[in-house]
Amino acid sequence: MGEGNLSFRRLTSIRHRKKRTAAKDEAESSLISSSPPPTPITPAAVVGKGKKKAIGARLWMRFDRTGAMEVVECDKSTIIKRASVPARDLRILGPVFSHSSNILAREKAIVVNLEVIKLIVTAEEVLLLDPLRPEVLPFVERLKQQFPQSTDASENVVQSSVLDHEAGEGLQCELPFEFQVLEIALETVCSFLDTSVDALETEAWPVLDELTKNVSTENLEYVRSLKSNLTRLLARVQKVRDEIEHLLDDNEDMADLYLTRKWIQQNQQSEAELGETASNLLSRVTSNRSSSMVTSSTKDDDVEDLEMLLEAYFMQLEGMRNRILTVREYIDDTEDYVNIQLDNQRNEMIQLQLTLTIASFAITANTLLVSLFGMNIPCPLYKMDDVFGYFLSSVIAVCLVIFMLTLGYAWWKKLLGS
């Protein structure tokens, strides 16, 4: 019921924003379609026959909004100049911070480090690190599906305008390029984490059930390994969740992620500074004012779109976290049950040991009595006939009486079970 209301509100807000932002969409489409495609990356060194790999060069994939892609090896300086990001941001994408999760907004780019997805997003293209890794290939396939390659720019504009006028298509056609890439990255990471959580649950339940039936060293080792995997997986999910929560708590950070708006404003300013005719300049300034008014009026809506996007994946990550915590609670309950079983067995062993100690005490008293008669002390009993049987019976009776009295005292003090 909550998901249906959320979808209805999203579609309603989309329809209202379509009417308010018609001028802005037309301006964005004209600017994006008229702007030339991004130039290919010129790598610092190309790996081939007779050429050595540049020091610090890593494999990158460039993917732009038209679907064009290329895979090259570039060093840090090339990426810094291409994406206009500081050098310290590339350290976040390095192996030192491989287990961290960050979504950083810069002036012209977004630096994303989520699990295995490490990329830099601009308003025109995506720079993906290590695109040939098996874990990253699903993300590359989703990019190809979302942005199919096409050589006809006018065909892309017509298709985008047709999609914009479909009211029931949802939020995907309304999102800017960088938000669509961010959504694909979050979807890939959440799918990867969800698969890991499913595998953890599939492995956990049989092992824990077996431990409750048979407390052995092998089963305890399985549970220890399972608990270690659970702790690592919980930390990974928690990092991604906390990063999204940090963005949701700060509207300014979410507004800084809107690269397309800043890119359009820069293009409008650069065109206004060109030496054009007075009439064109006047019409351009008028268009700038109207578009800036539309941009300022729709800024909250754009943040709302991003907020709705992040909230969807935040709830998904929250569900994964709750599932992991459920498994951990079940592990803790199983450990408590096993400890109770072990304590019960330990108590039974202590009771058995106490019973044997009481029996040993009774036998020791008998041994003391027999030892006294084995010292060849003069005694009238030695001269009596058939006295051995009566004496032996008396000693056994004394032993039993001592054992029963001591055992009864232990029961009276509740040292033994009933």
Side-chain angles (χ1 to χ4, degrees):
M1 187 66 183
E3 295 179 356
N5 293 333
L6 179 59
S7 301
F8 178 75
R9 289 196 300 270
R10 291 175 64 182
L11 291 176
T12 305
S13 61
I14 289 170
R15 295 190 183 98
H16 288 299
R17 285 196 300 273
K18 284 180 181 295
K19 296 179 181 179
R20 294 195 307 265
T21 62
K24 178 190 171 186
D25 293 339
E26 183 179 357
E28 289 183 2
S29 300
S30 61
L31 285 173
I32 293 174
S33 60
S34 62
S35 61
T39 58
I41 299 178
T42 302
V46 180
V47 178
K49 295 182 179 180
K51 294 185 178 181
K52 296 183 179 179
K53 182 179 178 181
I55 298 177
R58 303 183 68 180
L59 194 64
W60 292 81
M61 186 190 77
R62 185 188 69 85
F63 196 100
D64 59 20
R65 62 171 67 243
T66 63
M69 59 175 293
E70 61 174 338
V71 179
V72 294
E73 284 190 351
C74 302
D75 55 4
K76 292 183 178 180
S77 60
T78 304
I79 299 299
I80 291 173
K81 295 177 182 178
R82 181 78 180 187
S84 300
V85 295
R88 64 176 181 271
D89 289 344
L90 293 183
R91 294 185 59 191
I92 298 176
L93 304 180
V96 178
F97 299 93
S98 59
H99 299 288
S100 62
S101 296
N102 303 97
I103 301 177
L104 304 178
R106 296 296 180 251
E107 183 63 27
K108 297 182 179 180
I110 301 175
V111 182
V112 179
N113 179 20
L114 296 175
E115 289 291 319
V116 295
I117 307 298
K118 304 177 185 297
L119 53 90
I120 300 175
V121 188
T122 64
E124 301 175 274
E125 62 183 5
V126 181
L127 300 177
L128 178 62
L129 181 62
D130 296 333
L132 301 182
R133 293 181 58 183
E135 300 87 355
V136 186
L137 291 179
F139 176 74
V140 178
E141 294 298 328
R142 287 285 292 112
L143 284 178
K144 293 179 181 179
Q145 295 175 6
Q146 185 65 31
F147 306 102
Q149 187 174 5
S150 177
T151 56
D152 192 355
S154 61
E155 181 182 354
N156 291 335
V157 175
V158 172
Q159 290 179 356
S160 62
S161 63
V162 172
L163 290 176
D164 287 339
H165 287 84
E166 292 180 358
E169 284 294 328
L171 192 60
Q172 184 64 32
C173 61
E174 291 290 325
L175 292 176
F177 172 74
E178 62 273 10
F179 289 174
Q180 295 184 37
V181 175
L182 181 60
E183 182 177 11
I184 295 174
L186 289 173
E187 180 183 353
T188 304
V189 171
C190 289
S191 177
F192 182 72
L193 292 175
D194 188 67
T195 303
S196 301
V197 174
D198 290 339
L200 178 68
E201 290 180 337
T202 304
E203 181 185 3
W205 306 127
V207 173
L208 296 176
D209 291 340
E210 181 64 24
L211 181 63
T212 57
K213 299 176 182 177
N214 181 20
V215 182
S216 61
T217 304
E218 183 179 3
N219 291 335
L220 290 174
E221 180 63 25
Y222 284 156
V223 173
R224 186 198 65 80
S225 176
L226 178 65
K227 200 169 184 179
S228 300
N229 296 334
L230 183 144
T231 303
R232 288 193 294 267
L233 182 58
L234 179 61
R236 291 164 52 192
V237 174
Q238 188 72 33
K239 289 177 182 178
V240 181
R241 174 188 172 276
D242 292 343
E243 185 63 25
I244 296 178
E245 185 179 13
H246 173 71
L247 289 175
L248 290 173
D249 292 338
D250 196 339
N251 289 335
E252 294 183 359
D253 289 345
M254 287 192 290
D256 291 338
L257 294 178
Y258 204 115
L259 302 179
T260 301
R261 181 196 300 136
K262 294 186 287 187
W263 178 64
I264 292 174
Q265 292 175 353
Q266 291 176 359
N267 288 339
Q268 291 174 348
Q269 292 175 1
S270 61
E271 290 180 0
E273 294 174 356
L274 296 176
E276 297 179 348
T277 61
S279 59
N280 292 334
L281 183 59
L282 181 59
S283 62
R284 190 76 64 176
V285 170
T286 306
S287 176
N288 290 343
R289 291 179 179 177
S290 61
S291 61
S292 62
M293 291 175 62
V294 173
T295 302
S296 61
S297 63
T298 58
K299 182 176 180 180
D300 294 336
D301 293 335
D302 295 330
V303 173
E304 182 182 356
D305 291 340
L306 179 58
E307 185 176 3
M308 294 171 64
L309 169 66
L310 295 177
E311 280 181 352
Y313 291 99
F314 177 79
M315 295 302 297
Q316 187 174 353
L317 290 169
E318 183 69 19
M320 297 180 196
R321 178 176 174 271
N322 292 334
R323 289 166 59 189
I324 297 175
L325 292 178
T326 301
V327 176
R328 188 168 70 175
E329 290 178 358
Y330 191 78
I331 291 177
D332 294 338
D333 294 340
T334 304
E335 290 179 348
D336 294 339
Y337 176 75
V338 170
N339 289 331
I340 292 173
Q341 279 188 332
L342 294 177
D343 290 340
N344 185 36
Q345 294 178 358
R346 191 179 297 110
N347 292 334
E348 291 179 355
M349 291 179 62
I350 292 175
Q351 292 178 6
L352 177 61
Q353 183 180 4
L354 180 59
T355 304
L356 294 177
T357 302
I358 294 173
S360 300
F361 172 73
I363 295 174
T364 302
N366 247 347
T367 305
L368 176 62
L369 183 60
V370 172
S371 300
L372 292 177
F373 285 94
M375 298 177 65
N376 295 326
I377 299 176
C379 182
L381 295 176
Y382 293 156
K383 300 178 181 180
M384 296 178 60
D385 296 334
D386 299 331
V387 73
F388 180 76
Y390 297 105
F391 179 78
L392 182 61
S393 301
S394 302
V395 169
I396 294 175
V398 171
C399 177
L400 291 175
V401 169
I402 294 175
F403 174 76
M404 295 303 297
L405 289 176
T406 310
L407 191 64
Y409 178 78
W411 278 339
W412 179 58
K413 290 293 185 179
K414 297 182 179 180
L415 300 177
L416 296 175
S418 57

